[in-house]
Amino acid sequence: MTCFPRWYFDEWKMAGVDFEDTAQVAAFDRNQLSSTPEKEQALVQRLGISSGHTVIDLGAGTGTFAIQAALNGAFVDAVDISQNMLAYARSKAQKLGAVNIKFHQAGFLTYEHNDNLADFVITKAALHILPDFWKMVALMRIAAMLKPGGIFYLRDVIFSFPAHEYQTSINNWIEDSAKPEGEGWTAKDFEMHVQEEYSTFAWIIEGMLTRAGFEITEVSYPTPTFAEYLCVKKS
Ligand SMILES: C[S@@+](CC[C@H](N)C(=O)[O-])C[C@H]1O[C@@H](n2cnc3c(N)ncnc32)[C@H](O)[C@@H]1O
């Protein structure tokens, strides 16, 4: 077991939404419309995840992606810092007969992958939890978990708008995306994301990915506040 220095980031103190709360977990599973079984199965197909592949999902949440990857024959390590998220994900996996999933209570900065190097590492809507210095540490740890030529897929709230347009861009994002209470993420949720979490600019993330040893093979900015990267670990 690695012994981390005293100055190491304490990722057990979660920023933003408190997923240690059971009510938050159920609400999250309802509201996370970007992570339906159909959308996650489409991602599994797009990435080419199939029988015998090793897949690590970091910040796996309620497990929708991990379950779809396992149902497609992969061996999945679902990693999350939140015990409640993992318990919810485990019970969903049992109900759906997704047996090849190991659940680990750990995080980007503490998970130790002791099995075979992975074919795929996935992280969606989670890396923003870390400040930039620690994102870089996390990306280097991810590269070390992958086989040479292995795939890293990252999707998150990442800003591609010009920096000087930050006020209008953030206001427009919240105005366009917020839903009334009970129907999805509210304006308050978005405000808390910006205020307390660590979403950053695309050019910072892209510099980090390259320096961590990845080649970025596909980039897309579906909106000025979301980005998606498909990367290959360089040999
Ligand atoms: C917004 S959710 C995203 C869940 C899932 N990936 C999805 O696409 O729906 C973020 C998840 O990251 C987890 N998390 C928070 N801090 C973490 C850390 N340091 N390492 C790994 N996961 C963390 C939270 O518990 C939560 O389950």
Side-chain angles (χ1 to χ4, degrees):
M1 211 170 115
T2 310
C3 187
F4 296 104
R6 277 210 306 271
W7 45 260
Y8 207 66
F9 189 80
D10 182 0
E11 60 182 350
W12 300 92
K13 283 187 201 150
M14 279 185 291
V17 181
D18 180 6
F19 290 113
E20 283 305 325
D21 178 300
T22 312
Q24 288 278 7
V25 175
F28 175 86
D29 202 48
R30 261 196 329 272
N31 290 339
Q32 190 67 332
L33 302 175
S34 64
S35 181
T36 63
E38 296 72 26
K39 286 182 184 164
E40 301 296 27
Q41 186 52 235
L43 180 59
V44 167
Q45 299 296 327
R46 182 182 148 206
L47 295 176
I49 294 174
S50 62
S51 209
H53 281 139
T54 300
V55 177
I56 304 171
D57 186 359
L58 290 168
T62 54
T64 313
F65 177 84
I67 291 167
Q68 292 303 316
L71 290 176
N72 225 41
F75 296 100
V76 184
D77 290 291
V79 180
D80 203 287
I81 208 95
S82 160
Q83 189 58 55
N84 282 340
M85 281 291 201
L86 290 168
Y88 197 97
R90 192 179 277 114
S91 112
K92 253 171 60 169
Q94 264 164 12
K95 280 186 204 137
L96 294 166
V99 287
N100 289 335
I101 310 183
K102 288 189 211 156
F103 293 92
H104 309 268
Q105 191 182 13
F108 289 107
L109 302 173
T110 48
Y111 173 62
E112 293 185 46
H113 186 67
N114 295 320
D115 291 341
N116 296 336
L117 289 177
D119 299 288
F120 296 86
V121 176
I122 273 67
T123 186
K124 295 182 293 87
L127 190 67
H128 65 256
I129 217 80
L130 298 176
D132 282 357
F133 175 84
W134 294 104
K135 284 192 190 84
M136 184 65 200
V137 175
L139 291 173
M140 291 187 290
R141 296 186 90 249
I142 288 169
M145 293 171 203
L146 272 168
K147 291 177 181 165
I151 302 292
F152 175 46
Y153 175 83
L154 164 66
R155 185 168 76 210
D156 208 344
V157 176
I158 293 171
F159 303 138
S160 58
F161 51 75
H164 64 274
E165 291 176 11
Y166 75 97
Q167 291 201 13
T168 43
S169 303
I170 297 290
N171 285 336
N172 290 345
W173 175 41
I174 297 176
E175 242 169 69
D176 295 347
S177 317
K179 302 263 184 313
E181 191 73 49
E183 291 178 29
W185 302 119
T186 63
K188 216 169 138 213
D189 293 323
F190 288 99
E191 284 159 12
M192 190 165 89
H193 181 99
V194 178
Q195 196 169 46
E196 295 183 20
E197 305 191 16
Y198 302 99
S199 279
T200 192
F201 290 107
W203 48 270
I204 295 178
I205 292 288
E206 287 157 22
M208 288 185 185
L209 285 168
T210 308
R211 283 169 178 79
F214 294 106
E215 184 188 339
I216 302 171
T217 53
E218 281 180 40
V219 186
S220 92
Y221 311 120
T223 70
T225 50
F226 278 93
E228 179 188 66
Y229 298 97
L230 194 61
C231 307
V232 176
K233 178 182 168 175
K234 288 191 202 150
S235 307

